[in-house]
Amino acid sequence: MATVTVRYFAGARAAAGRAEETTSAGRSLDELLADLAERHGGRLVPVLAVSSFLVDGVTCHDRHKPLPAGATIDVLPPFAGG
């Protein structure tokens, strides 16, 4: 089975309860996010709603395009700091 790796940063890591996980490839980012929201429940949903997403280090602009096998998706919630 072809997979993608999802890496969670900062508040996304806390909400998901893990730093990363693998899941099946071939779905769009929107489909993947719906699956992650269902899998991890209410704490992750609001974080995903305000996060940015990188696919292999590049900002994802087409959330309907299938994710390639072997891709790494970074979930980046807004960061605070100075």
Side-chain angles (χ1 to χ4, degrees):
M1 172 173 72
T3 62
V4 297
T5 300
V6 180
R7 299 190 305 184
Y8 300 101
F9 292 87
R13 178 181 292 181
R18 64 191 66 211
E20 72 177 49
E21 65 184 299
T22 58
T23 188
S24 58
R27 299 179 288 171
S28 70
L29 181 61
D30 280 345
E31 292 168 330
L32 172 65
L33 296 178
D35 178 53
L36 295 175
E38 184 176 314
R39 188 181 311 175
H40 296 293
R43 288 184 44 181
L44 187 59
V45 172
V47 176
L48 293 175
V50 297
S51 292
S52 298
F53 305 95
L54 302 180
V55 177
D56 290 333
V58 178
T59 302
C60 182
H61 294 290
D62 183 356
R63 294 172 61 134
H64 301 290
K65 180 179 176 182
L67 297 167
T72 299
I73 293 84
D74 294 329
V75 180
L76 305 170
F79 293 92

